[in-house]
Amino acid sequence: MAFEHKHLIDINEYSDTDIMTILETAKTLSEINQRKIKKVPTLKGLTVVNMFNEPSTRTRSSFELAEKRLSCDSLNFGGSSTSSVKGESLIDTVETLNAYKIDMIIVRDKHAGAPRIISEHTPASVVDAGDGKHQHPTQALLDLYTIWEHKHDFNGLKVGIVGDIGHSRVCGSLIPALKIMGAEVTVVGPATLMPACPEVLGADHVTPYLDDVLPELDVVYMLRIQRERLEGAPYPSLREYNMLYGLTKDREHLMKPDALICHPGPINRGVELDSYMADHPKRSVILDQVYAGILTRMAEMYLLLGGSEDGLTA
Ligand code: CP
């Protein structure tokens, strides 16, 4: 299998073939994750650093589990427990890690571009686990895996991404990833939560009217409002936001019978999603996305680090 990437930083650097290779490898890895003993020796002896300088539940826990299941050694590191609080620079921190002869750095950082800078100062592979409001490529890949499992084909699939588009790093990777795979993307949200020039997103359609587009969509991907990245209030109240942009039980009649509901998490219940929709037994695939996080992150590490084919199924 030809997979020639060293880093996973910008999804635009990946072709449809690269993305399908990751999804198909993840599918192969699903079998390991169903076993009682969920461990293979594929990356034994390699060292992966999880550098999380911002909070995370899903991304961090799924990377840590993926590393354990592939038998590599993990170093968990980052945030206020590091010497960055004493003034050490990101580059000096990376040079320090390099001295340990590490093989991969998985980085989440509030600064857009931090993973790229790190990649210029380390011989290790670098994976972007979310940088500022720029990109979150491993989230996009788990989202694609989930959609592929349920819809089987991306060509012409109509995907709507709803909410705080302007502050979302998920959008920064998911929109191009869906376009690379042939889907049609509509972004929906108030103008105050859109970028100043929404055409830079690369979506096919941009609209503030959720109810107009909901009947067309095969996948409804809801986003939370990124309050940690907001200055001022870009909507009159959460109640009004929920009335206009919340995916609520009252809106279900507008949806296609087989339309899926996705959300990257964490959910703010009662704001962008009510519990009826978040927990909908037929439509919601939010926990499938969480499971896909382990599979796709195992696949990404395996492909980027060139793990042995034998070790994949042993
Ligand atoms: N979707 C996502 O990145 O979630 P976490 O912030 O919990 O990792």
Side-chain angles (χ1 to χ4, degrees), residues 55-60 108 129 136 139 169-170 264-266 297:
S56 166
T57 296
R58 283 147 286 270
T59 312
R60 182 172 178 158
R108 168 166 292 192
H136 196 351
Q139 177 70 43
R169 57 189 171 209
V170 172
R297 286 168 176 140

Side-chain angles (χ1 to χ4, degrees), residues 269-290:
R269 287 177 187 255
V271 182
E272 73 273 14
L273 265 180
D274 66 11
S275 286
Y276 173 83
M277 292 299 227
D279 304 327
H280 198 295
K282 293 211 178 83
R283 297 182 180 282
S284 174
V285 293
I286 295 168
L287 291 177
D288 295 3
Q289 290 172 270
V290 175

Side-chain angles (χ1 to χ4, degrees), residues 41-251:
T42 313
L43 298 184
K44 195 163 184 201
L46 299 184
T47 305
V48 176
V49 177
N50 300 307
M51 188 198 283
F52 277 72
N53 297 324
E54 259 198 338
S56 166
T57 296
R58 283 147 286 270
T59 312
R60 182 172 178 158
S61 59
S62 59
F63 265 118
E64 285 185 32
L65 271 180
E67 290 151 21
K68 288 181 187 355
R69 290 181 185 179
L70 292 173
S71 302
C72 55
D73 297 318
S74 303
L75 177 62
N76 295 315
F77 182 86
S80 59
S81 65
T82 72
S83 287
S84 64
V85 296
K86 301 180 212 161
E88 187 165 40
S89 72
L90 181 64
I91 293 169
D92 282 340
T93 304
V94 171
E95 301 284 9
T96 302
L97 295 170
N98 289 342
Y100 302 138
K101 312 295 178 209
I102 56 168
D103 299 289
M104 176 176 270
I105 303 177
I106 293 161
V107 60
R108 168 166 292 192
D109 202 282
K110 69 177 178 187
H111 299 292
R116 181 71 71 195
I117 292 169
I118 291 172
S119 74
E120 289 162 1
H121 292 87
T122 181
S125 289
V126 176
V127 175
D128 181 349
D131 62 323
K133 55 179 184 178
H134 178 221
Q135 285 232 10
H136 196 351
T138 70
Q139 177 70 43
L141 288 162
L142 75 85
D143 295 333
L144 290 188
Y145 183 89
T146 309
I147 294 169
W148 179 57
E149 279 278 274
H150 287 272
K151 296 291 185 185
H152 313 298
D153 190 5
F154 294 104
N155 270 315
L157 198 72
K158 290 183 167 39
V159 181
I161 307 178
V162 184
D164 183 359
I165 308 294
H167 300 96
S168 169
R169 57 189 171 209
V170 172
C171 275
S173 295
L174 182 58
I175 296 170
L178 286 164
K179 292 303 301 167
I180 290 165
M181 300 311 288
E184 184 179 320
V185 181
T186 301
V187 292
V188 187
T192 49
L193 290 174
M194 284 284 172
C197 302
E199 56 277 12
V200 300
L201 296 165
D204 297 282
H205 315 285
V206 180
T207 176
Y209 303 117
L210 176 60
D211 290 350
D212 286 359
V213 296
L214 214 40
E216 308 281 312
L217 300 177
D218 300 300
V219 178
V220 187
Y221 193 107
M222 302 304 296
L223 295 171
R224 81 180 166 91
I225 300 169
Q226 309 271 312
R227 285 184 238 189
E228 69 276 26
R229 289 195 254 281
L230 284 183
E231 284 167 22
Y235 43 83
S237 68
L238 286 179
R239 186 173 137 77
E240 180 156 330
Y241 181 86
N242 175 258
M243 278 171 53
L244 291 171
Y245 296 104
L247 195 60
T248 57
K249 186 176 183 182
D250 290 348
R251 288 200 156 94

